Amino acid sequence: MKKSLRLSSLASKVKYPGIVIDSFEIKSIQIADLFCPCKVVPGFVEDLVESFKRDGLLNPVIVVRLSVEDFLEGRAEKLKKYYRQRIPKKQQTINVVWGGNNRVEAARILGFKAIDCVMMPNFDIAMKVQDNHRNEWSLEEDV
């Protein structure tokens, strides 16, 4: 049984490219306890598997913890139905992966049971962090 996929560098705990995240908690979460709403990109996951083997986890997964109802609010009925089928009926809160669905899948493939996640208080801030992570040329900004 493999342990947690932990950040390979302390520097990753305080900064994504372009945004400071040191005021948010980094915690290791069981992969089984993460809800990944997006489909993964197989080729990218394969690259991440190799990257994890070589370098470890460089950036934590971006997670927003909220109630199932808050997650479903405002979504189209077709999506609500799809997500309700994927979320256990008794579960009232979920750890929604906002950034890192491919990292979670790569960790799962490698047999890890947990992965380091940065806990965001809401989707607005999570979106800002993810956008800056994807666009390294963005100006540095405190969240």
Side-chain angles (χ1 to χ4, degrees):
M1 174 194 260
K2 290 196 177 186
K3 53 190 185 288
S4 296
L5 182 56
R6 304 303 310 257
L7 292 166
S8 61
S9 160
L10 185 59
S12 294
K13 290 188 178 185
V14 296
K15 184 175 221 171
Y16 269 92
I19 196 159
V20 177
I21 61 169
D22 60 350
S23 60
F24 301 112
E25 179 184 13
I26 303 279
K27 67 192 270 192
S28 185
I29 297 180
Q30 294 292 308
I31 289 174
D33 293 338
L34 293 172
F35 178 70
C36 297
C38 300
K39 293 181 180 180
V40 298
V41 180
F44 188 47
V45 171
E46 292 168 12
D47 291 346
L48 285 168
V49 166
E50 294 308 312
S51 173
F52 287 173
K53 287 178 184 177
R54 184 181 59 250
D55 304 318
L57 181 65
L58 299 177
N59 290 299
V61 173
I62 301 169
V63 171
V64 179
R65 182 171 176 79
L66 70 165
S67 73
V68 171
E69 290 309 311
D70 284 345
F71 173 72
L72 295 174
E73 184 180 323
R75 299 191 189 280
E77 286 305 315
K78 188 174 181 180
L79 269 179
K80 284 182 184 181
K81 183 178 178 182
Y82 171 73
Y83 287 138
R84 280 196 178 107
Q85 292 172 348
R86 296 183 55 217
I87 299 170
K89 291 193 187 316
K90 292 182 180 180
Q91 199 164 350
Q92 295 188 8
T93 58
I94 53 177
N95 296 309
V96 180
V97 174
W98 184 255
N101 289 283
N102 293 300
R103 280 175 272 169
V104 171
E105 182 60 20
R108 186 185 337 251
I109 288 169
L110 288 170
F112 288 99
K113 301 298 179 198
I115 190 167
D116 278 359
C117 301
V118 60
M119 305 305 293
M120 294 286 131
N122 59 54
F123 284 120
D124 291 334
I125 293 174
M127 189 179 334
K128 198 179 230 187
V129 171
Q130 184 186 40
D131 286 348
N132 281 296
H133 173 66
R134 289 183 171 169
N135 300 303
E136 294 181 15
W137 55 85
S138 297
L139 296 174
E140 183 164 314
E141 173 180 346
D142 288 330
V143 175

